[in-house]
Amino acid sequence: MKKFSIEIKWGIIFSVVSLLWMFLEKGLGWHDENIAQHAIYTNLFAIVAIVLYVLALLDKRKNFYNGKMTWSQGFISGIVISTVVAILSPLAQYITHKFITPDYFNNVIAYSVESGAMSRQAAEEYFNLTSYIIQSFFFALVVGVVTSAIVAYFVKRK
């Protein structure tokens, strides 16, 4: 467990930052009056996510591998971080939709139907807590692994 303490720390940091991002989105109205912009601007979190992975792998390189790290060591570290984030994602989704932005699903369903993007039934099937928990779990794994592979390439040092 001590071998992965840095990854666990950064997985927790990532999850906390993602909750803070939800407060930002809510504050900017992307979950209610400006919901039409949500699909575009929520993607800005990718920049934050990449920065967090870079900081995490730099931390691992400096404090575990004594300044040297191969691509595979960085990649494995990133996969562990992604796994921690995925494991924490159901809790993060619950906190987001029960406490930070409890009206989000109603708002996005209404917007999707009114804009003609989805039928009410399709929107209700897609925009709900269970669906988002499943999506966030797998998204964290898949995107986390890809991000890990790329960031590990740039952070490696012989």
Side-chain angles (χ1 to χ4, degrees):
M1 199 68 160
K2 180 132 172 67
K3 181 179 178 180
F4 295 115
S5 61
I6 292 172
E7 290 85 349
I8 292 167
K9 172 183 82 173
W10 281 99
I12 293 168
I13 290 170
F14 189 101
S15 297
V16 169
V17 170
S18 71
L19 289 172
L20 294 173
W21 182 265
M22 289 298 110
F23 277 111
L24 176 70
E25 285 190 6
K26 174 71 173 158
L28 293 172
W30 298 346
H31 295 182
D32 36 60
E33 65 265 8
N34 297 323
I35 201 158
Q37 286 81 42
H38 180 259
I40 296 167
Y41 293 126
T42 194
N43 292 316
L44 292 173
F45 185 74
I47 297 166
V48 175
I50 291 166
V51 168
L52 289 171
Y53 270 79
V54 168
L55 293 173
L57 294 187
L58 288 173
D59 185 9
K60 184 72 173 188
R61 184 182 77 190
K62 177 183 176 191
N63 296 307
F64 188 82
Y65 291 116
N66 299 316
K68 298 176 184 174
M69 185 168 68
T70 65
W71 176 85
S72 61
Q73 289 169 328
F75 182 53
I76 290 167
S77 180
I79 289 172
V80 174
I81 294 166
S82 302
T83 302
V84 172
V85 172
I87 289 168
L88 293 175
S89 67
L91 177 61
Q93 286 297 319
Y94 181 82
I95 292 168
T96 295
H97 297 290
K98 293 297 179 185
F99 301 107
I100 299 172
T101 181
D103 295 325
Y104 173 75
F105 290 130
N106 290 333
N107 294 337
V108 74
I109 288 168
Y111 173 75
S112 297
V113 172
E114 289 168 13
S115 69
M118 300 175 107
S119 69
R120 176 156 295 279
Q121 180 181 353
E124 289 174 353
E125 289 173 4
Y126 185 79
F127 297 112
N128 62 70
L129 185 58
T130 301
S131 174
Y132 267 45
I133 285 173
I134 294 166
Q135 290 177 53
S136 68
F137 179 84
F138 289 107
F139 187 82
L141 287 177
V142 172
V143 175
V145 167
V146 171
T147 302
S148 299
I150 295 167
V151 171
Y153 177 79
F154 291 102
V155 175
K156 68 182 178 181
R157 183 182 288 163
K158 295 179 181 182

